[in-house]
Amino acid sequence: MGVVTTGIISFVILALNLGFSEKFALAWLRSWGIGYLIVIPAILLIGPRLQAQVDRLIK
């Protein structure tokens, strides 16, 4: 799921900011890779802790 999410988000942001030029594919792959490296660990590390806090607050 993270692969799809980061791919769509990076694609849309680059398409809006850069447009579809010669450098689009390379820039998109690079930004997708960086986004994937940031988002997946955040989901795995921050998500469970945040869920535990929400569970404690809302019983």
Side-chain angles (χ1 to χ4, degrees):
M1 191 65 178
V3 174
V4 174
T5 304
T6 55
I8 292 171
I9 291 171
S10 63
F11 183 86
V12 170
I13 290 173
L14 273 174
L16 291 174
N17 289 324
L18 186 62
F20 295 106
S21 65
E22 300 169 351
K23 299 178 182 180
F24 179 80
L26 182 60
W28 177 64
L29 287 172
R30 188 175 338 126
S31 67
W32 172 80
I34 292 169
Y36 188 76
L37 290 174
I38 293 170
V39 169
I40 298 306
I43 289 172
L44 294 174
L45 298 174
I46 297 170
R49 293 178 185 172
L50 182 60
Q51 183 64 48
Q53 288 182 354
V54 169
D55 290 342
R56 276 188 235 120
L57 291 173
I58 303 172
K59 294 182 180 185

